Amino acid sequence: MNSLAVLRLPLRYKPWTPRHARLILNDLGGAARQPEREHRAHLQAAIDWLCRAQDVRMRESDAGGVSAGWSFEDGWLPGYPETTGYIIETFIAAAELLERPELLERARRMIDWEMSLQHDDGAFPGHFGEPGSQPVIFNTGQIMHGMIAGALSLQRAECLDAAVRAGWWLVRQQDADGCFRRSEHNGVPHVYNTRAIWALVATGLLSGEARLVDGARRNLDWALTQQTQCGWFRTNAFTSGQDPFTHTIAYAIRGFLECGALLDDERYLLAAEYAARGMMGVLRDDGWLAGRYGDGWVTTCSYACVTGVAQMALNWLRLGQMTGSGEFTAAARRAIGYVKRTQRLADEDDIVRGAIPGSAPIWGDYSRFEFPNWAAKFFADALIMDETGRALPPLVARRECEVPA
């Protein structure tokens, strides 16, 4: 983007405001140029920013939720049920590592808000949970992750009950082939629902509800049919006819990886590893990954989806833990280094300090001109996992139950 292109930006992005102009000019000089420091400095900053994102909703009807992020267009966004759901597990882990017990109280408030939103049929609302918002498969699954964290780490039995109810809603939406075609974002199926299915598997194992696990397997088996010869996944973009963002590719990989581990199913593990190796093959030495990839791992875009880079760091760290292979850990640390260089640790602006942009440069197609809360969440998770050497969230212990093979 050059200065003329900046002048042509849609008015809704307000590029003339001092804060926006400064962020654009910084990235015109080259994205990902911030100094790298030790993990804890970056982790503290990301968690502090997420706390601010929760605090901005304190006096609103969505108090307890975490703002979806901050954008040029709208400023601080409403609380986002989907991502608040999986931020719960991040705050629980960070509370222990950083010795910040107040983060547990914040996690409890997130849980209380989420549970207040659950529908009578077990679903959770999509979008920002505003009146009229319809449930979405993926969003409900991500909130289930928070319910599982509440049940396991905070000993709240009602959270598992909520997860089970949500799990039954998910299974009721399935078609005979295991695919979800109803209650889908943009009305099309998505392979990246495997990350929601991870929560369904965990819920089924914890509750002893074998039919939930069976429903999960059916979706995973459908998703396997979408993997191509190079490891890439069809039907994995937000809309049909587009190449998927690195963000959704990483979602699909993590879902297969964790479901494979929970179910001890080599097919799902191999699908995850195959795709992760494909992404590793296009990882630059500086940790950069493109914003989108097509079949064959080709791309035509010149920006990074920073969120997806953080997610791939998590995937490679988990594969390193599972396989003992140092090549995965090395790739993860290159990716972490790249994300670190997009985070401003010393900025005087509370909105910017500690935030992670959706794209680098900030005008890239993914979450354009935004600091999404899930980018900070996944970056924090990667730092915690690399620092501790443990899985995040912790592994779910299998409860004895008749689980179909």
Side-chain angles (χ1 to χ4, degrees):
M1 178 179 287
N2 54 34
S3 57
L4 182 59
V6 171
L7 293 174
R8 291 174 177 167
L9 283 172
L11 294 179
R12 68 179 186 273
Y13 293 127
K14 311 177 188 74
W16 58 85
T17 66
R19 177 187 285 133
H20 301 181
R22 179 170 69 91
L23 291 170
I24 291 169
L25 287 171
N26 282 343
D27 278 7
L28 279 172
R33 294 182 296 119
Q34 302 304 308
E36 291 185 48
R37 294 178 59 188
E38 70 280 3
H39 279 11
R40 290 209 178 201
H42 289 275
L43 175 61
Q44 289 274 20
I47 294 297
D48 286 346
W49 185 87
L50 286 168
C51 288
R52 291 195 290 278
Q54 185 181 35
D55 288 345
V56 296
R57 310 310 303 166
M58 190 178 300
R59 293 178 177 83
E60 306 296 334
S61 60
D62 53 358
V66 182
S67 165
W70 181 88
S71 75
F72 277 29
E73 187 172 358
D74 299 308
W76 284 109
L77 298 167
Y80 199 5
E82 175 203 328
T83 58
T84 296
Y86 53 38
I87 289 171
I88 292 166
E89 64 197 20
T90 302
F91 271 39
I92 292 171
E96 178 183 3
L97 180 60
L98 299 177
E99 298 180 340
R100 291 179 57 175
E102 77 279 4
L103 295 176
L104 296 179
E105 180 54 34
R106 287 180 175 275
R108 292 186 183 99
R109 284 168 25 213
M110 294 179 206
I111 290 170
D112 291 343
W113 178 61
E114 296 282 21
M115 294 188 71
S116 75
L117 299 174
Q118 190 169 24
H119 295 182
D120 291 342
D121 63 2
F124 287 94
H127 201 237
F128 296 140
E130 66 274 23
S133 60
Q134 298 300 308
V136 176
I137 298 298
F138 187 81
N139 300 42
T140 290
Q142 304 326 298
I143 296 168
M144 288 169 66
H145 281 289
M147 296 300 101
I148 293 166
L152 291 178
S153 298
L154 302 178
Q155 290 75 56
R156 292 184 58 166
E158 72 273 24
C159 288
L160 182 57
D161 292 340
V164 170
R165 290 173 55 216
W168 284 120
W169 179 83
L170 287 176
V171 170
R172 289 195 298 271
Q173 309 313 305
Q174 278 187 296
D175 287 344
D177 62 354
C179 180
F180 293 101
R181 296 180 177 87
R182 289 169 288 170
S183 302
E184 279 282 55
H185 179 54
N186 290 328
V188 295
H190 303 292
V191 169
Y192 64 73
N193 280 331
T194 57
R195 198 184 194 283
I197 295 307
W198 168 19
L200 184 62
V201 171
T203 298
L205 294 178
L206 283 170
S207 64
E209 295 283 1
R211 286 173 58 197
L212 297 184
V213 180
D214 180 55
R217 285 187 184 277
R218 288 189 291 116
N219 180 257
L220 292 164
D221 290 346
W222 169 82
L224 283 177
T225 69
Q226 302 302 299
Q227 191 165 37
T228 68
Q229 288 187 339
C230 71
W232 181 83
F233 298 105
R234 296 184 295 268
T235 323
N236 198 33
F238 288 140
T239 58
S240 60
Q242 288 190 335
D243 291 335
F245 286 117
T246 303
H247 170 59
T248 57
I249 296 171
Y251 268 154
I253 292 171
R254 188 75 191 275
F256 271 123
L257 188 61
E258 300 298 349
C259 288
L262 286 172
L263 297 172
D264 193 23
D265 194 314
E266 187 177 22
R267 296 175 304 148
Y268 307 145
L269 292 170
L270 288 176
E273 182 174 348
Y274 192 23
R277 285 188 177 279
M279 290 288 274
M280 196 160 62
V282 292
L283 178 70
R284 282 192 337 205
D285 289 344
D286 64 355
W288 182 94
L289 287 168
R292 293 180 188 267
Y293 286 99
D295 198 3
W297 304 109
V298 296
T299 185
T300 56
C301 68
S302 59
Y303 66 91
C305 171
V306 184
T307 311
V309 176
Q311 290 173 260
M312 282 309 306
L314 277 168
N315 291 337
W316 289 320
L317 286 170
R318 283 292 285 133
L319 279 163
Q321 292 171 354
M322 291 177 176
T323 66
S325 173
E327 63 179 331
F328 291 120
T329 304
R333 289 176 178 164
R334 281 155 58 195
I336 288 171
Y338 181 84
V339 182
K340 281 183 175 182
R341 296 193 298 276
T342 72
Q343 186 188 38
R344 295 169 172 84
L345 296 181
D347 203 292
E348 294 182 359
D349 188 342
D350 281 351
I351 286 171
V352 176
R353 188 175 63 256
I356 303 297
S359 292
I362 201 167
W363 54 81
D365 283 345
Y366 181 75
S367 212
R368 174 174 285 149
F369 292 124
E370 290 184 353
F371 294 118
N373 72 21
W374 53 99
K377 175 263 184 329
F378 288 122
F379 180 49
D381 285 357
L383 295 170
I384 293 170
M385 196 183 292
D386 195 37
E387 183 90 355
T388 65
R390 300 195 302 264
L392 199 172
L395 298 178
V396 170
R398 180 190 294 263
R399 172 175 169 172
E400 285 191 21
C401 63
E402 297 283 335
V403 178

